[in-house]
Amino acid sequence: MATFSCSARPTKLYAALPLPPAKHGTSHHSIMLTFPSSSKPKNNNSRVGIDLLSSSNNNPDDYWGYWRTNVSFFQFFSAKGKDVKSLKQQLLEAIAPLDRGAVATPQDQQRVDEIAQELEAVNDIKEPFKSNLLNGKWELLYTTSQSILKTKRPKLLRPNGKIYQAINVDTLRAQNLETWPFFNQATANLVPLNTRRVAVKFDFFRIAGLIPIKSPGSGRGQLEITYLDEELRISRGDRGNLFILKMADPSYRVPL
């Protein structure tokens, strides 16, 4: 989201966590790793990677800070009048036919985003990085990120299996895991900025689940949790990208 040979043509590998943008004056970066490849592509179709929940930030006004200003008091009071359980059900029903977001129309995306904002407005977990509810392995259900969906590629060249992200708040470790067909992984250390946001520093990538690659040190970003309960998690990433995940395994431990 790979096979490698010994010719001179490079193949690029991108890997990142869902990294909501930083405050003004800082930036995010996705990792780019270069490997030999025997092919000589004329475009980016040779790129493989762990583009899981990725983000970068060149203009903070376009991203997380901008999105937060669009959550109004009207949305807050409207959401308060609705049951959280019914909102979650609406959200799950809205994303169910969308193939993790790959077939979502702009109207679908707007509808999902509106429901997500209603849930975020009534989020009871104000300090998610102090909550044990964040621990475990989460399955990605929906995103608007093209770096993950890769809808311009043939379907066979996209991540077709489940995609997971794991977090352990006690060890401040995170991990992205692809399944079929690439099985790529990325692990990172988390540095708290506040109780909702952490800086993310990648340390290792594992190609096809087997080949370990040490991070060159430039893979950094931020992660902010906007909604959390025992079943559902919502995050915001670059360019307003939305990430919705469900708990898959609360006992999962990220490798140290």
Side-chain angles (χ1 to χ4, degrees), residues 28-158:
H28 299 163
H29 303 280
S30 293
I31 295 290
M32 180 180 73
L33 302 178
T34 303
F35 301 93
S37 171
S38 59
S39 62
K40 296 182 178 181
K42 296 182 180 180
N43 52 39
N44 290 337
N45 290 337
S46 65
R47 291 179 178 173
V48 296
I50 317 169
D51 290 324
L52 304 183
L53 318 183
S54 61
S55 89
S56 60
N57 179 24
N58 295 320
N59 182 359
D61 288 335
D62 291 340
Y63 308 130
W64 170 250
Y66 176 80
W67 176 85
R68 289 188 67 177
T69 64
N70 289 331
V71 180
S72 72
F73 287 108
F74 295 103
Q75 290 167 332
F76 173 80
F77 287 116
S78 172
K80 276 294 185 182
K82 296 182 180 179
D83 180 74
V84 171
K85 184 176 180 180
S86 67
L87 283 173
K88 287 169 61 176
Q89 185 63 33
Q90 288 179 44
L91 184 63
L92 294 174
E93 289 176 355
I95 65 178
L98 301 181
D99 189 19
R100 207 156 48 201
V103 299
T105 66
Q107 292 77 19
D108 292 327
Q109 292 178 346
Q110 181 178 355
R111 174 59 179 156
V112 171
D113 194 88
E114 288 172 353
I115 303 171
Q117 288 189 40
E118 289 190 82
L119 272 170
E120 290 164 328
V122 293
N123 180 26
D124 285 333
I125 309 299
K126 306 302 182 184
E127 299 182 328
F129 281 99
K130 287 186 176 182
S131 173
N132 287 330
L133 293 178
L134 190 54
N135 285 327
K137 183 163 68 174
W138 298 81
E139 179 188 345
L140 180 67
L141 298 180
Y142 171 88
T143 184
T144 55
S145 172
Q146 281 298 313
S147 66
I148 297 172
L149 298 174
K150 303 185 187 305
T151 55
K152 294 182 180 180
R153 291 185 180 182
K155 189 170 178 61
L156 289 176
L157 298 180
R158 304 177 202 166

Side-chain angles (χ1 to χ4, degrees), residues 165-187:
Q165 184 185 77
I167 293 177
N168 291 139
V169 296
D170 54 343
T171 58
L172 291 174
R173 293 284 288 164
Q175 182 182 28
N176 286 335
L177 305 99
E178 287 181 359
T179 57
W180 176 260
F182 303 114
F183 298 96
N184 295 320
Q185 299 178 20
T187 54

Side-chain angles (χ1 to χ4, degrees), residues 9-30:
R9 185 72 179 183
T11 295
K12 296 178 180 178
L13 169 67
Y14 291 90
L17 284 166
L19 309 178
K23 297 179 180 178
H24 290 270
T26 61
S27 63
H28 299 163
H29 303 280
S30 293

